[in-house]
Structure formats: structure tokens, C-alpha cells
Amino acid sequence: MSATRQQEIARNLEQVRTRIARAEARVGRPGGQVHLVAVSKTKPLSDIQAALAAGQLDFGENYAQELRDKRLAAQAAAASDSSATTELGRLRWHFIGPLQANKAKYVAGHAALVHTVDSEALMRELDRRTAAAGADRQDCLVQVNVAGEAQKSGVASADLPALLDAFAGFSHLRCVGLMLIPPNASDPEANRPHFRALLRLAEAQAGLPRANVRWDPLQLSMGMSHDLEVAIEEGATLVRVGTAIFGARERKE
Ligand SMILES: *Cc1c(COP(=O)(O)O)cnc(C)c1O
């Protein structure tokens, strides 16, 4: 790890934290409600360690095997370097990509949060694999296709209530909120109606008690490098930020 790369990541993190704090302040939200997930997909473990050294604990990956590989590499690094143990031991993984049921085993029971649950078939496999991994529970978000885009992952807004009901059948899962990937708009303001729609949907469902659904506090995962301010203004509690922290990615996702 070069000292300059380390400094670059630390400086970028500081800028993102400032952007988050300013957006919270602008709409009168108390500071500290919004959690930053540093999206480290395609980036090496050394970048993750640099961010960890700068106080970042939550990391997001969108390929199941890549999360598994990095998690095991981090464990191995922690075991071989006692000075790194404390930091690496506190690292939390978030799974933010499309998840096929046959890949659930790579993340179930090992992620702090799976952001992209969108079908009962996936829930069944996550539940089974969480138990098999010896974990009590896997916290999840339901991804909603708020904009109703064809061929996009996420449950249709109209099908959200039924999917939330289905959590009652899976004792190793807990739904803690909702997640959104808006249409690919370069103008952040174009995403505002979608962020707002996710909050409205959540509010409409929040009053109904459901088994294994615990929205207290409600988690809303929305907002990325270019539109995190707008997402925070509309109620995001988790922002997923890659490029603004680690720079552009070479490999296409
Ligand atoms: C890659 C990715 C991000 C981060 O995007 P940036 O524009 O690099 O901040 C956020 N969310 C998801 C689901 C992603 O796949």
C-alpha cells in the first residue's frame, strides 16, 4: 500500500463524510443517522485496509464470490498480523448486488446486511444457508423496483406487502428496511421522486406489525456517489458510495 493511495482514500472519505453531514444539516436531520457503506467492488483488499485505517467499517460488494473471497482474505490477514486484528475484526460486509439463490451460500450468515432481497425463493435459500452457517439471523433489506423498470431486479411496489408477509415463514431472516437502485440518471434531481416514493412505500407499510420485520428504526438504502445528497434529503439511512471513495472502477459491473 503506497502512502499516497492511503492518503487519497482517507481524503476522499473525509469529503464524503462532509457531504453527508451537510445534507443531514440542510434538512434538519440529526447528525449520525446516515451510515456510509463504502462500495469496494473490484478494488483490492489493500484499499479496504486503507479505508479501515481511516475509520470506515462498512463495506459493500455486489458479487457474492468476491465478497466471500475478500472476507476470507481479511480473516487470513487478521490472523497473520496481530496489529491489524482489531480493525479487520470489526469490518462489516454488505451485499448490494443481484443475488441468485444458488449464490446465497456465499453471503448468508456472513454479511451485516443483504440489501437486495426480492423474491421468496431467494429468502428460502438465505434462511436455509444462514442456519447452515450457524448464524442466528441474517438482516436483510427488500429491494423495490419503484420505477417499474422492465428487466430490473427488485420487487414491484404492488408486490411488496406480500413479500414482507412472507418473512413470517423464515425464522433466520429479519427485514430491517428497503433498498432502491434508481434508473440510471446522471441528474441527481431526476432520482428524487424515486427516493421519495420508496420512503412513502415504507411509511405505508410501517404501521402493520409483521413477524421477522423490524423497522425500528427503519433502514432505507438509497443514494450513491453522485446523488447521495438528494437521497439523504429524502430519508436515506444508508448510502452506498464507491467511486467518490476509491475512484473509478476499471472492470465494468
Ligand atoms: C456500484 C454500486 C454502488 C456505488 O456506485 P458509485 O457510483 O461508484 O458510488 C452503489 N450501489 C450499488 C447497488 C452498486 O452496484
Side-chain angles (χ1 to χ4, degrees), residues 23-24 26-27 29 33-34 180 188-203 218-223 227-239:
E24 286 178 311
R26 205 158 41 238
V27 289
R29 294 180 62 179
Q33 270 188 355
V34 178
L180 165 71
E189 282 301 327
N191 288 334
R192 188 184 295 277
H194 304 297
F195 295 144
R196 188 166 292 177
L198 192 72
L199 176 62
R200 293 286 172 271
L201 261 180
E203 286 172 345
L218 168 70
Q219 301 294 335
L220 287 180
S221 170
M222 54 190 196
D227 59 11
L228 66 91
E229 282 88 354
V230 175
I232 290 169
E233 287 166 15
E234 299 299 332
T237 67
L238 291 152
V239 289

Side-chain angles (χ1 to χ4, degrees), residues 37-41 60-62 95-98 115-116 143 179-181 221 223-228 239-249 253:
V37 177
V39 177
S40 47
K41 62 187 179 196
E61 293 285 338
N62 76 335
F95 188 74
I96 63 169
H115 292 226
T116 48
Q143 181 181 354
M179 182 265 203
L180 165 71
I181 303 177
S221 170
M224 322 205 294
S225 289
H226 74 296
D227 59 11
L228 66 91
V239 289
R240 312 176 305 264
V241 179
T243 312
I245 297 170
F246 298 112
R249 289 174 291 271
E253 313 106 59

Side-chain angles (χ1 to χ4, degrees), residues 5-90:
R5 180 65 176 150
Q6 172 98 46
Q7 286 162 0
E8 182 187 1
I9 289 174
R11 196 174 53 237
N12 289 347
L13 267 171
E14 208 37 59
Q15 284 172 1
V16 170
R17 289 182 189 129
T18 302
R19 286 173 61 191
I20 291 172
R22 287 199 180 131
E24 286 178 311
R26 205 158 41 238
V27 289
R29 294 180 62 179
Q33 270 188 355
V34 178
H35 295 277
L36 173 60
V37 177
V39 177
S40 47
K41 62 187 179 196
T42 81
K43 299 294 178 181
L45 188 62
S46 57
D47 277 6
I48 291 174
Q49 287 180 285
L52 267 173
Q56 176 63 30
L57 296 177
D58 290 273
F59 293 87
E61 293 285 338
N62 76 335
Y63 299 97
Q65 277 121 316
E66 188 172 343
L67 187 151
R68 190 260 326 257
D69 292 347
K70 284 181 178 165
R71 182 174 61 77
L72 294 178
Q75 266 175 17
S80 69
D81 175 4
S82 58
S83 68
T85 306
T86 39
E87 280 174 4
L88 285 165
R90 291 165 66 207

Side-chain angles (χ1 to χ4, degrees), residues 46-218:
S46 57
D47 277 6
I48 291 174
Q49 287 180 285
L52 267 173
Q56 176 63 30
L57 296 177
D58 290 273
F59 293 87
E61 293 285 338
N62 76 335
Y63 299 97
Q65 277 121 316
E66 188 172 343
L67 187 151
R68 190 260 326 257
D69 292 347
K70 284 181 178 165
R71 182 174 61 77
L72 294 178
Q75 266 175 17
S80 69
D81 175 4
S82 58
S83 68
T85 306
T86 39
E87 280 174 4
L88 285 165
R90 291 165 66 207
L91 196 161
R92 292 185 292 256
W93 296 104
H94 292 246
F95 188 74
I96 63 169
L99 187 56
Q100 295 163 294
N102 65 350
K103 305 275 175 67
K105 58 177 181 279
Y106 297 127
V107 301
H110 299 299
L113 191 58
V114 176
H115 292 226
T116 48
V117 170
D118 64 357
S119 76
E120 205 172 329
L122 175 56
M123 285 159 65
R124 184 169 303 112
E125 200 56 19
L126 277 172
D127 184 72
R128 193 166 80 81
R129 293 293 184 170
T130 300
D136 285 345
R137 247 179 218 291
Q138 176 61 62
D139 280 349
C140 305
L141 303 175
V142 169
Q143 181 181 354
V144 189
N145 182 0
V146 170
E149 294 174 280
Q151 326 227 307
K152 254 281 182 72
S153 27
V155 66
S157 302
D159 298 333
L160 176 64
L163 200 65
L164 293 175
D165 289 345
F167 276 93
F170 301 110
S171 60
H172 292 92
L173 302 183
R174 177 168 59 185
C175 175
V176 298
L178 304 179
M179 182 265 203
L180 165 71
I181 303 177
N184 217 338
S186 52
D187 171 16
E189 282 301 327
N191 288 334
R192 188 184 295 277
H194 304 297
F195 295 144
R196 188 166 292 177
L198 192 72
L199 176 62
R200 293 286 172 271
L201 261 180
E203 286 172 345
Q205 296 300 320
L208 310 170
R210 290 180 166 104
N212 304 323
V213 175
R214 186 81 55 81
W215 287 2
D216 175 25
L218 168 70

